[in-house]
Amino acid sequence: MISSMSGATAIKRSGRVLGALLLNVNEYRVTLKNNSGDEDDWQTKLKACHQRCADRTLRVLEKNGSIFIKLGQHLSSMNYLLPLEWTRTFIPLQDRCPVSSYQAIEQMFIEDTGQPIASHFDNFSRDPIGAASLAQVHLANMKDTGAKVAVKVQHPALKEWVPLDLALTRFTFATLRYFFPEYDLEWLSDEMESSLPQELDFALEGKNALETKRHFDTIKGSPLVVPGVHWGLKRILVMDYIAGHRTDDLAYLDSHNIDRDEVSAALARIFNEMIFGDTSLHCDPHGGNLSIGYNDLRRPHNFDIILYDHGLYRDIPTKTKRDYAKLWLAVIDADEQGMRKYARDVAGISEEQFPLFASAITGRDYRAVATSVVSTRSEEEKEVISGAMGEGMLQQLVQLLGQVPRIILLILKTNDLTRNLDESLQTRAGPVRNFLILARYCSRTVFQEQLESVRSKGSVLWPQNMLRLFAAWVSYVRVEAKLSLYEWYVFIRRIARLSPLASI
């Protein structure tokens, strides 16, 4: 039974959402109707409308907290979909998260374990060292071993408010679809309802972390570190404490002689391995879930990349991996016919939708995709893409992303992470090296498919099969050789302190 206090809080939470929703809907309807014909004037008014509505929405997300912070963080990373005014306004939510009281955490421990915190840990920090939208982390020492651990605890209030907040989120996107059917974002609320139960199960998160750790421990030279798991329950997870700095903390990297180009390349390898390798994809890859630490014992590099928050993983079907690999090989080779074919295979993209989809997966103007996607994005190109959002691209993109498989959207999110991290690291190599690393994974994936195809047709000693095998091997070796030569070239340019390459 809901108490009168809880009932009043529920009314306030609902009122904030509904009030902001109605004001935003009305403001957009008025702005969209009052197009005087002066394109520059209308664009100025539209951008101002975006900003006012984003500011209003931000205040509601901050006041309500709970999963609304999570939603805002997700929206802040969707620069391939939302206007710049929205994504920039929501960026502070990455660091502005609720904190649950020590008393509330103590009560949750008693409810979930039958014992107070002191029965499990010594030196449990009363204040968290970090807080996120769904949980916060405290430092402690294990009672039995004295090991220093990070104790991740779910915000106790989520248990009460998640059902209401999901309903409000669903209602918000349904209302937006009713008034603006061309901007159907209901798939966002569908994705939240699908993923949130997994993210709120910390026992599942512990299992995911262990599986990821096991996989990357088998990859020689990989700098990825996943904190070890001691034990986990649905709302409590105990892991090794491993500290680090933000991956874009350039002062820290430079002061420890950590090569930015190698950090960028390592991140590209890690997430391409998750997409194309025999493991699952980490589906919440934002900067707050990654850190970097100096490690002078590691070879060939002198750093560790620590990956946190393993609540949400997805398995990518083998066929999707292979079609996606072929799509990217076509993109890198500027093979437009191949791009169109595999865009249709991997996401059901029509001929008319293709230019928009190509821009969405690469974060580039279509003209760059059709010529050389491995060139550096200029400020002019970024402005062109941003401006296009106000000229009709947004409507088409919303409709497009509403129809593609959800797993493709998660892969897009991962692509955005590696692309944005590379730009924030201000690497000497520019984007070229990461595209070649991507090409290496794509080529390997296609080569494995071709091997399977040859074996399914009989003995590899048959002349026809030997020719197929040789052709596949030549294609694979060509990419491997190109990447190896380029890595040596980058090394020489770095030693000579030359500027980054714009393209290849």
Side-chain angles (χ1 to χ4, degrees), residues 158 195 236 448 471:
L158 287 173
S195 64
I236 303 168
Q448 290 170 346

Side-chain angles (χ1 to χ4, degrees), residues 461-480:
L461 298 179
W462 291 357
Q464 192 173 12
N465 284 347
M466 289 183 69
L467 287 174
R468 290 195 187 101
L469 184 61
F470 180 73
W473 179 80
V474 167
S475 176
Y476 175 62
V477 169
R478 177 177 63 87
V479 175
E480 290 286 322

Side-chain angles (χ1 to χ4, degrees), residues 239-255:
M239 306 182 76
D240 289 334
Y241 173 65
I242 304 177
H245 291 253
R246 288 182 60 92
T247 53
D248 58 357
D249 186 344
L250 304 185
Y252 174 79
L253 299 182
D254 294 344
S255 66

